[in-house]
Structures are given as structure tokens and as C-alpha cells.
Amino acid sequence: MKRWRTGLLQQCVLLLTYLVITLEAVPIDVDKTKVQGEEQVESAKIDNPDTGLYYDAYLRQVIDVLETDKHFREKLQTADIEEIKSGKLSKELDLVSHHVRTKLDELKRQEVARLRMLIKAKIDSFQDSGIDHQSLLKQFEHLNHQNPHTFEAKDLDMLIRTATSDLENYDKARHDEFKRYEMMKEHERREYLKTLDEEKRHQEESKYEEMKKKHGDHPKVNHPGSKDQLKEVWEEADGLDPNDFDPKTFFKLHDVNNDGFLDEQELEALFTKELEKVYDPKNEEDDMVEMEEERLRMREHVMNEVDINKDRLVTLEEFLRATEKREFLEPDSWETLDQQQLFTEDELKEFESHIFQQEDELQKKAKELQRQKEELERQQDQLQAQRQELQQAVQQMELKKLQQGIPPSRPDGELKFQPRM
């Protein structure tokens, strides 16, 4: 599949202010020792990560096909994000070439077939029957299920609206998932302590507190997006003199794809040096899942402070305006995750209650499955006993026939040989 077009991102963030983000990371470890004026430095590229949407492949394929149509691409270049979200751009689908529409039709049929297979697999797993598969397609809001054969303007509109909504909630979902991860860690730790005697439990608790202290003993983390933080990237990652720090040059240097924006991936790459102060994959006390949550928090904070029009992109104007604020020169201290309470004791109790309930349900299901297994084994034993009884009865009948001088019978009841007349 082709790389996401930076142009799509710039022109409206096709299918939401995130979907067509060019996913090229800033090569933090590359030593850019020389930068002449505002000259751009070529950087390594990485594969596009999954958006996290269950219809990610379909979304990417639709975008790739639409990009091949000259008329649609031109309209996209002049559209703003509100026109895309409102569905105005979707109406331009009627003007794309027949070849493009044919490809879109085929993509939709493939997606409908995929969803139907998912529905069937789910239903079969519960051994349900008599379900209307077509009606169940209603739960998928990224396409028009009433017309499963052709891709229409309504399909593009639904895809844009659904993807916009889903991706706007994606960060929140990631935060919630991280919180559950942390609560599960604490739950498992406490459950493990319950299995130990007093001496070993004391040793484990001492080790736990020691690791927490060791993890918290790290250099000061600069406030994300502050002058101190950016100058550190300028000096250590870019290899430039901190006395020559220039916000405009910095922006152009880290606008890796040269599209005039800093997108979310380009921003997150700026925080690697700060994160390395706190997290080291070689250290037992450092959790890399927590590092990614910290990176997400930093990016969200900078976006909230700098991204004025909330399109999930930072323009040069927005960036320079942010450097004029007091917070850029005199920021508040940044609290890392280890300095925050990630969940309350009540939240943990509720989480554990849910876990215990799930475990209880699983135990009940396991007992029921065991009962069914034993019942099947009992029935099999009965069938085997009946089969043996039947075989014995047949053998006794054949023996009696032989004793009476009657030839043994075939399985179909016919005589094996005819007596002489």
C-alpha cells in the first residue's frame, strides 16, 4: 500500500484530522551537525502504524483509490476540515471517474463480506441460529449497509464521520486502557503477596518500594514544548549550538515531510530525549508501557497549548505564537507519571470486583463444560455397552442357527450360500 500522502493531511486531514497524517518519525538519534539556514535534512522513513480502527485497512484503501482521481484530489486540496466533516466533500464523489468508482464498489463489497464473516464467526461461537446477518450489519457505522454492492457519496460521508468520531475518542480509549493496565499490575502484585509468608512478603514489599524510589531518581524532565525542552533537542538530537536556537529553523528542521505542519507523530518524536531521562528498557524498574503513556500525555499537552484551531496539526504560525507566551520561557514543572496518582483505592476495588466477577463466571462456565464432558462420556459409555450387548446378541443368534443347521446370515439378511435342491 502506498505511503500516506502528506498532501492529504495538509489539505484537510482527509477522513479526520489524523487519518492521512504522514507517519514519518523524526530520526532523533541522527546527528544533524550542520544546518545551513533553513535547509531541510532528509530523514529515514518508517512504515505507517495502524490507526487502531477495526476498519483501518478499508479506510486506507479508500483513501488510496480516491487519491488516484485528479478531480477529487484537486477538490481535496482546496477543502478545509469543516467541509470534510460536514459531508460537503463527499458530494464530489459523483464526479470521479468510472474506473475509480468501480474500484470503490469492489472495496465496499469486500468489506461487507469481511464484516459478514466476522458476524458469522461470532454467532457460530455461541451456536445461535435464525439470526438475520443483514440486520446485524447496522452495528457497523462506517458504511451504508442497506446498499452492500456499490460505494456511494453516503458511504464516504459515513466513513469520514465515523473515523472522525472514533479517532477523536482514540486517545481517551488509550488512557482508559492504560489505567486498567496499571490497576491490573497492582491487583496481581497484591494477590501475589497474599500467597507469601510474612517474611517473604516483607522482602517483596521492600523490593517494590526500592524499585519505585530508583525509578523516581532521574534528571529533571523539561516541560514539553518549553524553550528548555526544545533547546535540548536542538543541541543533543540535532547537534546544533544552543546559543543559535531559532524557533523558525527548529520548526522547519522537524517538519520532516516538509508539508508546513508538525503532526502528532513529529511532535511525539521531540519528546524522546525527555523520556530517555526516565525510562530505560534495560532497567527492571522502568515500564515501557508507562513510557508510551507519558509520550501521549506530552503530545496532548503541547497540542492543547499550541494547536489553536484544534485540527491536530501545528502550523508555523501557531508554533511561533506559542514561543511568545510566558509559559514557553517560564514553564511550570512537569509531573511525570510516577509523581501522580493514577487511580484511587475505590477505583481499584471496583476493578477487582469486576475481575472477581469475571473469574466467577469463568469458573461456572468451566464447571458446566466439565459437566457436559462427563455427560458425554457417560453417554458414550452407554452406547459402547449397548453396542457390546447387541454384538453378543447377534453372536448368540448366529450360534443357535449353526446349531440348528441354518447357514449364517450376511449383514443384509441374505444367506451366504444356497442349499442344494
Side-chain angles (χ1 to χ4, degrees):
M1 181 180 293
K2 295 185 294 183
R3 180 172 296 279
W4 293 90
R5 299 295 194 278
T6 301
L8 286 179
L9 177 62
Q10 173 182 355
Q11 298 150 1
C12 63
V13 199
L14 178 58
L15 305 185
L16 160 145
T17 59
Y18 182 86
L19 298 182
V20 288
I21 286 178
T22 198
L23 298 170
E24 301 173 349
V26 177
I28 288 297
D29 295 328
V30 176
D31 183 12
K32 302 176 183 176
T33 56
K34 299 292 182 181
V35 176
Q36 300 294 335
E38 299 174 359
E39 181 180 350
Q40 294 297 317
V41 180
E42 291 187 3
S43 61
K45 297 182 179 181
I46 59 174
D47 293 334
N48 300 322
D50 195 297
T51 61
L53 304 177
Y54 65 88
Y55 48 89
D56 175 82
Y58 176 63
L59 178 63
R60 291 169 182 261
Q61 291 168 345
V62 169
I63 292 174
D64 280 347
V65 171
L66 287 173
E67 281 187 282
T68 64
D69 186 84
K70 181 179 179 180
H71 170 79
F72 194 87
R73 189 167 59 250
E74 290 176 351
K75 288 294 182 180
L76 185 61
Q77 291 172 351
T78 59
D80 58 35
I81 190 170
E82 292 304 322
E83 288 179 318
I84 296 175
K85 288 184 176 181
S86 67
K88 183 177 180 180
L89 183 67
S90 303
K91 298 178 181 178
E92 299 296 329
L93 186 68
D94 293 333
L95 303 178
V96 302
S97 67
H98 175 73
H99 178 65
V100 170
R101 289 298 291 269
T102 300
K103 285 187 175 181
L104 292 173
D105 291 347
E106 179 59 25
L107 287 177
K108 183 178 179 181
R109 286 192 291 268
Q110 292 175 359
E111 178 69 357
V112 170
R114 183 183 74 88
L115 296 177
R116 283 174 173 167
M117 287 180 63
L118 291 175
I119 292 173
K120 184 179 184 303
K122 183 176 181 180
I123 291 174
D124 290 345
S125 68
F126 291 100
Q127 298 180 344
D128 289 335
S129 59
I131 303 296
D132 182 1
H133 289 212
Q134 183 66 24
S135 66
L136 290 178
L137 285 172
K138 294 179 181 179
Q139 65 185 292
F140 304 112
E141 299 179 349
H142 64 287
L143 48 72
N144 178 16
H145 65 91
Q146 295 178 341
N147 175 18
H149 304 295
T150 58
F151 190 99
E152 306 295 340
K154 184 176 181 180
D155 289 288
L156 182 57
D157 183 47
M158 293 178 70
L159 184 59
I160 292 173
R161 291 178 185 273
T162 303
T164 300
S165 175
D166 289 346
L167 285 176
E168 285 177 348
N169 295 324
Y170 187 59
D171 286 345
K172 182 181 182 304
R174 285 180 61 185
H175 288 310
D176 292 341
E177 182 179 354
F178 172 75
K179 187 174 182 178
R180 290 192 295 270
Y181 168 79
E182 288 293 318
M183 288 192 290
M184 178 59 78
K185 277 204 318 184
E186 179 61 17
H187 165 71
E188 291 178 344
R189 187 185 74 86
R190 295 186 182 187
E191 290 298 304
Y192 174 66
L193 290 176
K194 293 178 181 179
T195 66
L196 305 177
D197 58 37
E198 185 175 353
E199 181 180 356
K200 290 184 177 180
R201 184 165 57 250
H202 178 72
Q203 292 175 353
E204 283 294 325
E205 289 177 337
S206 297
K207 180 182 177 182
Y208 175 72
E209 292 300 326
E210 181 182 347
M211 290 179 62
K212 282 179 60 178
K213 183 178 180 181
K214 188 177 179 181
H215 173 70
D217 184 17
H218 54 72
K220 175 188 175 183
V221 176
N222 291 314
H223 196 95
S226 67
K227 184 175 182 180
D228 289 340
Q229 190 258 315
L230 299 185
K231 283 184 68 176
E232 192 169 284
V233 175
W234 175 275
E235 179 180 6
E236 297 186 15
D238 301 334
L240 302 175
D241 188 337
N243 296 322
D244 296 333
F245 177 76
D246 177 65
K248 187 174 182 181
T249 302
F250 182 93
F251 180 94
K252 292 183 175 295
L253 181 63
H254 290 277
D255 175 19
V256 181
N257 51 24
N258 197 27
D259 65 352
F261 297 89
L262 291 182
D263 60 42
E264 295 179 339
Q265 285 67 41
E266 290 167 335
L267 279 178
E268 288 185 359
L270 300 179
F271 309 136
T272 298
K273 287 296 178 183
E274 297 303 317
L275 294 169
E276 288 176 347
K277 297 176 181 178
V278 185
Y279 299 95
D280 185 342
K282 298 178 182 178
N283 295 338
E284 182 183 3
E285 67 273 11
D286 297 337
D287 188 333
M288 295 300 103
V289 175
E290 293 178 356
M291 184 186 75
E292 292 307 316
E293 173 69 9
E294 192 77 73
R295 190 192 302 274
L296 175 59
R297 290 178 61 245
M298 289 180 171
R299 186 255 292 166
E300 285 181 324
H301 172 75
V302 172
M303 276 294 189
N304 289 334
E305 294 293 319
V306 180
D307 182 21
I308 299 175
N309 63 356
K310 305 303 177 186
D311 64 353
R312 302 172 78 100
L313 297 168
V314 176
T315 64
L316 176 60
E317 180 183 357
E318 290 174 327
F319 183 77
L320 295 179
R321 187 177 300 181
T323 62
E324 299 171 356
K325 297 180 180 180
R326 181 193 66 80
E327 293 80 2
F328 180 72
L329 300 174
E330 302 175 6
D332 297 330
S333 60
W334 178 258
E335 290 189 353
T336 53
L337 287 172
D338 55 285
Q339 298 172 305
Q340 299 184 23
Q341 183 180 16
L342 302 178
F343 52 84
T344 65
E345 195 66 26
D346 288 341
E347 287 175 327
L348 179 59
K349 288 180 179 178
E350 182 179 354
F351 177 76
E352 289 182 321
S353 176
H354 181 64
I355 290 178
F356 293 143
Q357 181 180 355
Q358 288 182 322
E359 290 177 348
D360 184 59
E361 291 175 354
L362 287 175
Q363 288 178 357
K364 290 180 179 178
K365 289 182 179 180
K367 289 180 179 179
E368 176 61 21
L369 289 174
Q370 180 64 28
R371 186 194 66 77
Q372 292 179 5
K373 177 185 175 183
E374 293 174 353
E375 176 63 20
L376 288 173
E377 290 176 346
R378 187 187 65 80
Q379 293 178 3
Q380 186 176 11
D381 291 342
Q382 287 181 343
L383 290 173
Q384 183 65 22
Q386 291 174 0
R387 181 168 176 267
Q388 291 177 352
E389 290 178 359
L390 181 59
Q391 288 177 340
Q392 291 175 358
V394 171
Q395 290 174 356
Q396 290 176 358
M397 290 177 62
E398 294 296 331
L399 182 60
K400 288 182 178 179
K401 289 181 179 180
L402 289 173
Q403 292 174 349
Q404 297 174 3
I406 302 176
S409 303
R410 293 181 181 178
D412 58 5
E414 296 181 1
L415 295 177
K416 291 184 178 180
F417 60 85
Q418 298 293 330
R420 293 181 179 179
M421 301 298 294

CSV table of all heavy atoms in Angstrom, one decimal, residues 134-156:
chain,number,residue,atom,x,y,z
A,134,GLN,N,-27.9,-9.7,7.9
A,134,GLN,CA,-28.0,-8.4,7.2
A,134,GLN,C,-28.4,-7.3,8.3
A,134,GLN,O,-27.8,-6.2,8.3
A,134,GLN,CB,-29.1,-8.4,6.1
A,134,GLN,CG,-29.2,-7.1,5.4
A,134,GLN,CD,-28.0,-6.7,4.6
A,134,GLN,OE1,-27.2,-7.6,4.2
A,134,GLN,NE2,-27.7,-5.5,4.3
A,135,SER,N,-29.3,-7.6,9.2
A,135,SER,CA,-29.7,-6.6,10.2
A,135,SER,C,-28.5,-6.3,11.1
A,135,SER,O,-28.4,-5.2,11.7
A,135,SER,CB,-30.9,-7.1,11.0
A,135,SER,OG,-30.6,-8.3,11.7
A,136,LEU,N,-27.6,-7.3,11.4
A,136,LEU,CA,-26.5,-7.1,12.3
A,136,LEU,C,-25.5,-6.2,11.7
A,136,LEU,O,-24.6,-5.6,12.4
A,136,LEU,CB,-25.9,-8.4,12.6
A,136,LEU,CG,-26.7,-9.3,13.5
A,136,LEU,CD1,-26.0,-10.7,13.8
A,136,LEU,CD2,-27.0,-8.7,14.9
A,137,LEU,N,-25.5,-5.9,10.4
A,137,LEU,CA,-24.5,-5.0,9.8
A,137,LEU,C,-24.8,-3.6,10.2
A,137,LEU,O,-23.9,-2.7,10.1
A,137,LEU,CB,-24.6,-5.1,8.2
A,137,LEU,CG,-24.0,-6.3,7.6
A,137,LEU,CD1,-24.3,-6.3,6.1
A,137,LEU,CD2,-22.5,-6.3,7.8
A,138,LYS,N,-25.9,-3.3,10.8
A,138,LYS,CA,-26.3,-2.0,11.3
A,138,LYS,C,-25.3,-1.5,12.3
A,138,LYS,O,-25.1,-0.3,12.5
A,138,LYS,CB,-27.7,-1.9,11.8
A,138,LYS,CG,-28.8,-2.2,10.8
A,138,LYS,CD,-30.2,-2.2,11.4
A,138,LYS,CE,-31.3,-2.4,10.4
A,138,LYS,NZ,-32.6,-2.4,11.1
A,139,GLN,N,-24.7,-2.4,13.0
A,139,GLN,CA,-23.8,-2.0,14.1
A,139,GLN,C,-22.5,-1.4,13.6
A,139,GLN,O,-21.8,-0.7,14.3
A,139,GLN,CB,-23.4,-3.2,15.0
A,139,GLN,CG,-22.6,-4.3,14.3
A,139,GLN,CD,-22.4,-5.5,15.1
A,139,GLN,OE1,-21.7,-5.5,16.1
A,139,GLN,NE2,-23.1,-6.6,14.7
A,140,PHE,N,-22.2,-1.6,12.3
A,140,PHE,CA,-21.0,-1.0,11.7
A,140,PHE,C,-21.4,0.3,11.0
A,140,PHE,O,-22.1,0.3,10.0
A,140,PHE,CB,-20.4,-2.0,10.7
A,140,PHE,CG,-20.1,-3.3,11.3
A,140,PHE,CD1,-20.8,-4.5,10.9
A,140,PHE,CD2,-19.1,-3.4,12.2
A,140,PHE,CE1,-20.4,-5.7,11.5
A,140,PHE,CE2,-18.7,-4.6,12.8
A,140,PHE,CZ,-19.4,-5.8,12.4
A,141,GLU,N,-21.0,1.4,11.5
A,141,GLU,CA,-21.4,2.7,11.1
A,141,GLU,C,-20.5,3.3,10.0
A,141,GLU,O,-20.8,4.5,9.6
A,141,GLU,CB,-21.5,3.6,12.3
A,141,GLU,CG,-22.5,3.1,13.3
A,141,GLU,CD,-22.6,4.1,14.6
A,141,GLU,OE1,-21.7,4.9,14.7
A,141,GLU,OE2,-23.5,3.9,15.4
A,142,HIS,N,-19.5,2.6,9.6
A,142,HIS,CA,-18.6,3.3,8.6
A,142,HIS,C,-19.0,3.0,7.2
A,142,HIS,O,-18.2,3.4,6.3
A,142,HIS,CB,-17.1,2.8,8.9
A,142,HIS,CG,-16.9,1.3,8.7
A,142,HIS,ND1,-17.4,0.4,9.5
A,142,HIS,CD2,-16.3,0.7,7.7
A,142,HIS,CE1,-17.0,-0.8,9.1
A,142,HIS,NE2,-16.4,-0.7,8.0
A,143,LEU,N,-20.1,2.3,6.9
A,143,LEU,CA,-20.6,2.1,5.6
A,143,LEU,C,-22.1,2.0,5.6
A,143,LEU,O,-22.7,1.7,6.6
A,143,LEU,CB,-19.9,0.9,4.9
A,143,LEU,CG,-19.9,-0.4,5.7
A,143,LEU,CD1,-21.2,-1.1,5.8
A,143,LEU,CD2,-18.9,-1.4,5.0
A,144,ASN,N,-22.7,2.2,4.4
A,144,ASN,CA,-24.1,2.1,4.3
A,144,ASN,C,-24.5,0.6,4.0
A,144,ASN,O,-24.3,0.1,2.9
A,144,ASN,CB,-24.6,2.9,3.1
A,144,ASN,CG,-26.1,2.8,2.8
A,144,ASN,OD1,-26.8,2.4,3.7
A,144,ASN,ND2,-26.5,3.3,1.7
A,145,HIS,N,-25.0,-0.1,5.1
A,145,HIS,CA,-25.3,-1.5,5.0
A,145,HIS,C,-26.5,-1.8,4.1
A,145,HIS,O,-26.7,-2.9,3.6
A,145,HIS,CB,-25.5,-2.1,6.4
A,145,HIS,CG,-26.8,-1.5,7.0
A,145,HIS,ND1,-28.0,-2.1,6.9
A,145,HIS,CD2,-26.9,-0.4,7.8
A,145,HIS,CE1,-28.9,-1.4,7.6
A,145,HIS,NE2,-28.3,-0.4,8.1
A,146,GLN,N,-27.3,-0.8,3.8
A,146,GLN,CA,-28.5,-1.0,3.0
A,146,GLN,C,-28.2,-1.2,1.6
A,146,GLN,O,-29.0,-1.8,0.8
A,146,GLN,CB,-29.5,0.2,3.2
A,146,GLN,CG,-30.1,0.3,4.6
A,146,GLN,CD,-31.0,1.5,4.8
A,146,GLN,OE1,-30.9,2.4,3.9
A,146,GLN,NE2,-31.8,1.5,5.8
A,147,ASN,N,-27.0,-0.8,1.2
A,147,ASN,CA,-26.6,-1.0,-0.2
A,147,ASN,C,-25.2,-1.6,-0.1
A,147,ASN,O,-24.2,-0.9,-0.1
A,147,ASN,CB,-26.5,0.4,-0.9
A,147,ASN,CG,-25.9,0.2,-2.3
A,147,ASN,OD1,-25.8,-0.9,-2.9
A,147,ASN,ND2,-25.4,1.3,-2.9
A,148,PRO,N,-25.1,-2.9,-0.1
A,148,PRO,CA,-23.8,-3.6,0.1
A,148,PRO,C,-23.0,-3.8,-1.2
A,148,PRO,O,-21.9,-4.3,-1.1
A,148,PRO,CB,-24.3,-5.0,0.6
A,148,PRO,CG,-25.6,-5.2,-0.1
A,148,PRO,CD,-26.3,-3.9,-0.1
A,149,HIS,N,-23.5,-3.3,-2.3
A,149,HIS,CA,-22.8,-3.6,-3.6
A,149,HIS,C,-22.0,-2.4,-4.2
A,149,HIS,O,-21.0,-2.6,-4.8
A,149,HIS,CB,-23.8,-4.1,-4.6
A,149,HIS,CG,-24.6,-5.3,-4.1
A,149,HIS,ND1,-24.0,-6.5,-3.9
A,149,HIS,CD2,-25.9,-5.4,-3.8
A,149,HIS,CE1,-24.9,-7.3,-3.5
A,149,HIS,NE2,-26.1,-6.7,-3.4
A,150,THR,N,-22.5,-1.2,-4.0
A,150,THR,CA,-21.8,0.0,-4.6
A,150,THR,C,-21.4,1.0,-3.6
A,150,THR,O,-22.1,1.2,-2.5
A,150,THR,CB,-22.7,0.6,-5.6
A,150,THR,OG1,-24.0,1.1,-5.0
A,150,THR,CG2,-23.1,-0.3,-6.8
A,151,PHE,N,-20.4,1.7,-3.9
A,151,PHE,CA,-19.8,2.8,-3.0
A,151,PHE,C,-20.4,4.1,-3.4
A,151,PHE,O,-20.1,4.6,-4.5
A,151,PHE,CB,-18.3,2.8,-3.1
A,151,PHE,CG,-17.6,3.6,-2.0
A,151,PHE,CD1,-17.1,3.1,-0.9
A,151,PHE,CD2,-17.5,5.0,-2.2
A,151,PHE,CE1,-16.5,3.9,0.1
A,151,PHE,CE2,-16.9,5.8,-1.3
A,151,PHE,CZ,-16.4,5.3,-0.1
A,152,GLU,N,-21.2,4.7,-2.6
A,152,GLU,CA,-21.9,6.0,-2.9
A,152,GLU,C,-21.4,7.1,-2.1
A,152,GLU,O,-20.6,6.9,-1.1
A,152,GLU,CB,-23.4,5.8,-2.8
A,152,GLU,CG,-24.0,4.7,-3.5
A,152,GLU,CD,-23.9,4.8,-5.1
A,152,GLU,OE1,-23.7,6.0,-5.5
A,152,GLU,OE2,-24.0,3.8,-5.8
A,153,ALA,N,-21.9,8.3,-2.3
A,153,ALA,CA,-21.5,9.5,-1.6
A,153,ALA,C,-21.8,9.3,-0.1
A,153,ALA,O,-21.0,9.7,0.8
A,153,ALA,CB,-22.2,10.7,-2.1
A,154,LYS,N,-22.9,8.6,0.2
A,154,LYS,CA,-23.2,8.4,1.6
A,154,LYS,C,-22.2,7.5,2.3
A,154,LYS,O,-21.9,7.7,3.5
A,154,LYS,CB,-24.6,7.7,1.7
A,154,LYS,CG,-25.1,7.5,3.1
A,154,LYS,CD,-26.5,6.9,3.1
A,154,LYS,CE,-27.0,6.7,4.5
A,154,LYS,NZ,-28.4,6.1,4.6
A,155,ASP,N,-21.6,6.6,1.6
A,155,ASP,CA,-20.6,5.7,2.1
A,155,ASP,C,-19.3,6.6,2.6
A,155,ASP,O,-18.8,6.4,3.6
A,155,ASP,CB,-20.1,4.6,1.2
A,155,ASP,CG,-21.2,3.6,1.0
A,155,ASP,OD1,-21.4,2.8,1.9
A,155,ASP,OD2,-21.8,3.6,-0.1
A,156,LEU,N,-18.9,7.5,1.7
A,156,LEU,CA,-17.8,8.3,2.0
A,156,LEU,C,-18.1,9.2,3.2
A,156,LEU,O,-17.3,9.4,4.1
A,156,LEU,CB,-17.4,9.2,0.8
A,156,LEU,CG,-16.2,10.1,1.0
A,156,LEU,CD1,-15.0,9.3,1.4
A,156,LEU,CD2,-15.9,10.9,-0.3
